[in-house]
């Protein structure tokens, strides 16, 4: 399976059955126990990133690219706190839902700015580039290319999250427990942290902050790296 196939699968999934499933997970309505666990885990990751950005006390001065924004779970609160946010996703349905949620929450359609784009087609220059829970859909070689491209867009900082490749998680994935039952989605790729750090460093970035979100069914390693 090549990278183009992975991208097609991701786009089609999040524009069809996956959209309804993940819209519920990223909402506040009733879901099953596994989906609730994933919802809570994802929100913890979002909260960690927002906490980092707020701690720097300059959020209102920042331009932020949210690559793979989904329904706006990160973009909307960052815009509410004054950042200028450019949000994009490969799924047209996800972007449309994000726009609707931003309008309901913020009462305007100017910020965040939403666009339907795959990660490789993103352009521009932003103080901070953020990509949460996207790399899990792509193999390491494709992830390397994606990270390098995101680095080229970041003036100062990049924040990534990924499912770390550890012995325990590899076993869970192998036996089908990583995304069990009705919560199963696209193929789940795990990434070695050392490989992610290496590609960041090769693009002139150094890890400054890191965190790990771990629930029963959600695992996400978060790295913040700044340009050297």
């Amino acid at each position: 399976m090549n990278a183009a196939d992975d991208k097609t699968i991701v786009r089609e999934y999040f524009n069809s059955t996956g959209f309804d499933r993940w819209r519920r997970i990223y909402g506040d309505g009733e879901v099953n126990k596994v989906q609730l666990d994933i919802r809570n885990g994802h929100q913890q990751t979002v909260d960690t990133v927002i906490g980092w950005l707020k701690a720097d006390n300059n959020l209102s001065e920042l331009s932020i690219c949210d690559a793979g924004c989904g329904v706006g779970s990160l973009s909307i609160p960052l815009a509410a706190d004054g950042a200028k946010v450019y949000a994009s996703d490969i799924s047209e349905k996800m972007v449309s839902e994000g726009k609707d949620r931003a309008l309901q929450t913020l009462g305007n359609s100017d910020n965040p700015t939403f666009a339907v784009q795959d990660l490789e087609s993103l352009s521009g220059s932003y103080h901070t580039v953020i990509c949460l829970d996207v790399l899990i859909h792509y193999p390491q070689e494709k992830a390397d290319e994606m990270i390098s491209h995101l680095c080229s867009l970041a003036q100062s900082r990049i924040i990534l999250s990924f499912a770390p490749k550890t012995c325990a998680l590899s076993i869970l994935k192998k036996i089908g427990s990583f995304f069990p039952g009705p919560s199963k989605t696209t193929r789940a790729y795990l990434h070695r942290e050392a490989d992610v750090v290496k590609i960041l460093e090769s693009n002139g970035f150094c890890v400054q902050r890191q965190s790990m979100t771990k629930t029963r069914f959600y695992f996400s390693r978060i790295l913040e790296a700044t340009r050297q």
Side-chain angles (χ1 to χ4, degrees), residues 74-85:
L74 176 67
S75 292
I76 294 170
L78 289 181
D81 284 329
K84 180 59 179 175
V85 183

Side-chain angles (χ1 to χ4, degrees), residues 2-223:
N2 60 41
D5 293 327
D6 281 302
K7 185 191 297 185
T8 299
I9 289 170
V10 171
R11 179 186 292 109
E12 291 180 350
Y13 173 76
F14 284 104
N15 276 325
S16 56
T17 58
F19 168 69
D20 290 329
R21 179 175 297 154
W22 288 97
R23 179 177 58 177
R24 291 194 303 273
I25 290 175
Y26 292 155
D28 55 10
E30 184 176 350
V31 291
N32 65 42
K33 290 182 179 180
V34 173
Q35 292 170 334
L36 179 60
D37 182 88
I38 295 171
R39 173 192 288 173
N40 292 336
H42 176 74
Q43 189 59 50
Q44 288 177 36
T45 294
V46 169
D47 290 345
T48 294
V49 172
I50 292 175
W52 285 352
L53 296 176
K54 284 187 174 181
D56 294 337
N57 295 315
N58 65 344
L59 191 51
S60 63
E61 303 170 11
L62 303 186
S63 60
I64 297 176
C65 172
D66 183 9
C69 65
V71 298
S73 302
L74 176 67
S75 292
I76 294 170
L78 289 181
D81 284 329
K84 180 59 179 175
V85 183
Y86 301 84
S88 63
D89 199 276
I90 197 172
S91 165
E92 182 178 355
K93 284 192 173 182
M94 285 288 193
V95 168
S96 179
E97 178 71 13
K99 288 180 179 178
D100 288 344
R101 293 190 183 192
L103 189 60
Q104 294 170 10
T105 303
L106 304 174
N108 68 74
S109 57
D110 298 327
N111 187 34
T113 299
F114 285 94
V116 181
Q117 286 182 282
D118 61 47
L119 193 150
E120 296 94 328
S121 69
L122 293 176
S123 60
S125 180
Y126 312 90
H127 178 278
T128 298
V129 173
I130 304 173
C131 185
L132 301 184
D133 293 351
V134 172
L135 299 179
I136 193 171
H137 301 300
Y138 299 96
Q140 186 63 49
E141 61 272 17
K142 187 61 179 176
D144 289 352
E145 295 176 10
M146 289 179 163
I147 294 170
S148 291
H149 181 61
L150 291 174
C151 286
S152 74
L153 307 176
Q155 300 166 2
S156 179
R157 171 174 53 192
I158 182 169
I159 299 174
L160 304 171
S161 76
F162 55 95
K165 190 169 188 177
T166 64
C167 290
L169 291 187
S170 295
I171 292 171
L172 280 175
K173 180 176 180 291
K174 187 173 183 180
I175 65 176
S177 297
F178 194 74
F179 283 113
S183 295
K184 199 170 185 68
T185 62
T186 60
R187 284 183 300 276
Y189 293 100
L190 309 182
H191 300 286
R192 292 184 180 88
E193 182 172 343
D195 293 337
V196 176
V197 171
K198 183 178 180 180
I199 195 68
L200 287 170
E201 291 177 344
S202 71
N203 283 278
F205 285 78
C206 181
V207 174
Q208 300 295 332
R209 286 184 282 205
Q210 50 194 297
S211 184
M212 179 72 192
T213 304
K214 183 178 180 181
T215 65
R216 187 176 179 187
F217 298 111
Y218 177 95
F219 306 86
S220 186
R221 185 65 164 161
I222 317 164
L223 300 179

